[in-house]
Amino acid sequence: MTEQHDDLETRLAAVLRAQTAGTPRSTDLAAAARRLNGTRRRNLLLTVATMAAVVVAITTTIVLVGGNPDRPSSPSPAPPASFDGTDWIPDGFRAESYDGIEIAVPEDWRYGDLSQWCVPEDHEAPVFDRPGGISTLVGCIGPGGYGVQFLQTGETDLEGAADREFPDDAAVRSRSFDHLRVLVVVRGETLADQIIGTAHEIVGLDTAGCAGSEQLSLARTPDLTPDEGGPISVCRYDVHSNRASLVQSELLSPSDSESARAALDAAPEARPARCSAENGAQGEVVLLRTAEGPLAWVHTFSCLGTVVEWDGTVRKLTPDVLHWAYSPGWSGVVPDGVNFRLRTFR
Amino acid sequence: MPRTEDFDAFVATRGHALVRLALVLTGGLPDAEDVVQDVLAKALPRWRKISAMADPEAYLRRMVVNTHISSWRRFRRHETPVEAVLSSENATDSADTVLNSDENRRLWSAVLSLTPTQRVAVALRFHEGLSYAEIADLTGTREATARSHVFRGLERLRSVLKGEL
């Protein structure tokens, strides 16, 4: 019996290897992938545009044929008149920011991945999809889930969403800004209108106290201000050349802010003699700031790996620092293999 | 912005291995290339983060497996084994020797008769040479489940080939 097992397994391995041994090399896989990606991006944007046109057409038709004006209806909430302060955030909603855009979503929404490359088939709960994370489930297909998604409208860096299929009962809304399009897919026309009505460009600081973009360079430490207490804003940026676009923002509670300060104070110093900041053109940094200005930033030194600068010193990243520097929903490669506990959904 | 030169370099060196894995899974070169192109098109916009992972190829292998399984579910493919599906047209001499054996032709046909999950497990085990733990990690299942898929796949192969061995 053992010989039979060994024989089959040996033959099987040989047959599988032989079957693929003569596979001709595809010379243009990368180019083909790039073309396919571009086609999907165009198809998706066309799909969204078409759906928006259909909504307009249906609405117009109802008016033209004189649909019963006395019929009870659920009027969509009017968009906020102003996005100053927090009055624009409906009750039971929270604010989320991405790349210069801020939007309010229901408080109980979690973070997730709505891009077409992976939506579990049983995905039902709406999520806030922030591009750029690492998904543990990849390559799935099927109708997309519910939630808010950002689609890059530029020629590069589209984060995956392609060949999108929407659930049958979905209300779909989208709104374009200069550089990206916000896509809302939810159950219920009123909720869809309510959410898309809150999408706006960040002017100055967002609700969490972070700028929509910063003039940050990976090669130069920003001017950090002395800490005078107060709530800390956690601002995570994606840096391209000398421009940093906001990926995620969070305003820590007063008690969490004190815990974050304690973690920063406890981090050991890391600076050896003469060490320059990373000169790479792109990367991710986290800026911790108060209303007074930037306090600390997490970035990469070429000879030290990822560090945090705080209170005039360069310090090693510790699990406690990362615990506060990365907001719930973050995903990616842990800097320098530091094993830390990611905060869960608030 | 993805670092396209890195992406191109990776595809140039490892893309062929992904196609070979996909070939074992799908049973045909055109389908295999479709799967890999699909995977690479999805990976391209996220390449910066994928390339920073400890093992980008393992991540793409997972995408290939999931894309194949999802595609099978979508189109509800029920491949029927055919008499002669081995292609020795481009095979090396040693591979050609293997492929020209009638027994091995029937074995390959039997592989194509496995369920998608069994075929994935068998391919990862005997083509990619992965451990059960690695198969479990790659397919998102428990190690015992991966072991079970391989075991049942082998049992099915024995059943199909009954009397040959």
Side-chain angles (χ1 to χ4, degrees), chain A residues 48-131:
Chain A
V48 173
T50 303
M51 291 199 69
V54 169
V55 170
V56 170
I58 291 173
T59 305
T60 305
T61 301
I62 290 173
V63 172
L64 289 177
V65 300
N68 184 357
D70 298 326
R71 183 172 60 87
S73 61
S74 301
S76 297
S82 167
F83 293 105
D84 292 336
T86 58
D87 289 345
W88 62 276
I89 305 174
D91 290 341
F93 281 54
R94 70 171 191 270
E96 293 283 355
S97 295
Y98 177 75
D99 200 4
I101 306 299
E102 192 170 30
I103 190 171
V105 299
E107 183 66 49
D108 60 350
W109 280 23
R110 293 179 178 275
Y111 299 104
D113 185 352
L114 288 171
S115 57
Q116 176 58 28
W117 81 333
C118 183
V119 177
E121 291 181 0
D122 59 351
H123 190 79
E124 289 290 328
V127 297
F128 183 85
D129 177 12
R130 178 172 281 107

Side-chain angles (χ1 to χ4, degrees), chain B residues 5 26 30 54 56 64 79-80 83 85 89 92 94 105 115 127 129 133 139 150 157:
Chain B
E5 63 275 17
T26 63
V64 167
E79 295 100 334
T80 303
E83 284 300 316
V85 291
E89 185 178 346
T92 60
S94 58
R105 287 176 183 275
T115 66
H127 184 265
T139 56
V150 172
L157 293 178

Side-chain angles (χ1 to χ4, degrees), chain B residues 36-138:
Chain B
V36 173
Q37 283 183 11
D38 194 22
V39 163
L40 294 177
K42 291 168 183 169
L44 175 60
R46 298 180 184 233
W47 186 245
R48 199 178 81 207
K49 290 216 168 183
I50 292 175
S51 63
M53 301 173 81
D55 190 351
E57 188 172 353
Y59 193 72
L60 293 189
R61 271 204 302 258
R62 184 189 294 183
M63 291 181 70
V64 167
V65 168
N66 285 344
T67 300
H68 163 65
I69 292 177
S70 297
S71 179
W72 183 88
R73 285 176 177 156
R74 169 180 271 188
F75 298 110
R76 291 291 185 267
R77 290 179 180 174
H78 299 282
E79 295 100 334
T80 303
V82 294
E83 284 300 316
V85 291
L86 283 175
S87 169
S88 60
E89 185 178 346
N90 300 292
T92 60
D93 289 345
S94 58
D96 196 44
T97 303
V98 174
L99 300 182
N100 282 331
S101 154
D102 285 343
E103 286 186 353
N104 288 341
R105 287 176 183 275
R106 279 193 284 276
L107 178 53
W108 173 242
S109 294
V111 169
L112 294 181
S113 74
L114 298 176
T115 66
T117 50
Q118 288 172 352
R119 197 193 303 176
V120 165
V122 165
L124 294 176
R125 177 70 176 161
F126 297 106
H127 184 265
E128 300 292 302
L130 301 186
S131 68
Y132 291 113
E134 289 170 323
I135 296 171
D137 182 55
L138 195 147

